[in-house]
Amino acid sequence: MAKAENKTQATEADVIAFLEAVEHPTRRADALALDTLFRDVTGFTPRMWGPTIVGYGRYDYVYDSGREGSFLATGFSPRKANLSIYIMPGYQDYAEILSRLGKHKMGKSCLYINKMADVDTGVLRELVRTGLDDLDAKWAVHPA
């Protein structure tokens, strides 16, 4: 099967310019703090994925159906309502870590936090690292 084009693709947009343009001052500060955290934990230079997702690393996948593609390995998006954090391959195996994280909500494929002050950043680092390691065990993670 041919490689499928994901709706969300890596772009050449400037990550820091995007983060510094976040309108709400607390959300902007939290987004810049998340960038530092993700850079430190992953060792990757971020890239924009679509217009609003800051991604760190990428992985190439092939599903049992034969569909294949590439996607960001981990990242976040400073949305108006909250900070959306993406851990691939998902959060289903991370109940123990999430129980120690602090105030958060779960979506279908995202973790939502209102502000960084609501969570334990050490636990968030652990969650990002665990997710990246689990993903790398299934599909190799590379710089984006």
Side-chain angles (χ1 to χ4, degrees), residues 8-137:
T8 304
Q9 296 285 324
T11 73
E12 296 302 319
D14 186 294
V15 170
I16 297 301
F18 167 73
L19 296 175
E20 289 177 345
V22 171
E23 192 172 314
H24 192 278
T26 300
R27 184 84 66 234
R28 181 173 52 251
D30 284 352
L32 290 165
L34 275 174
D35 177 48
T36 299
L37 183 148
F38 274 87
R39 286 177 191 251
D40 184 50
V41 171
T42 68
F44 296 135
T45 300
R47 289 191 66 187
M48 292 300 301
W49 286 75
T52 62
I53 299 174
V54 181
Y56 302 81
R58 70 166 177 78
Y59 68 100
D60 301 316
Y61 59 85
V62 179
Y63 293 137
D64 291 340
S65 67
R67 181 173 191 255
E68 58 185 83
S70 295
F71 201 61
L72 65 111
T74 191
F76 70 94
S77 182
R79 309 277 185 196
K80 283 191 187 264
N82 50 45
L83 298 163
S84 298
I85 300 175
Y86 306 96
I87 306 291
M88 310 307 172
Y91 294 92
Q92 62 275 22
D93 299 322
Y94 308 130
E96 191 280 324
I97 297 172
L98 289 167
S99 72
R100 298 183 281 115
L101 181 62
K103 186 178 175 182
H104 69 278
K105 293 181 182 175
M106 296 298 301
K108 188 171 184 177
S109 62
C110 300
L111 170 76
Y112 301 107
I113 60 174
N114 289 325
K115 57 189 178 296
M116 291 293 286
D118 289 342
V119 298
D120 182 320
T121 56
V123 175
L124 182 57
R125 287 174 175 274
E126 179 185 351
L127 180 62
V128 171
R129 179 79 261 158
T130 301
L132 204 57
D133 290 346
D134 287 350
L135 177 63
D136 192 53

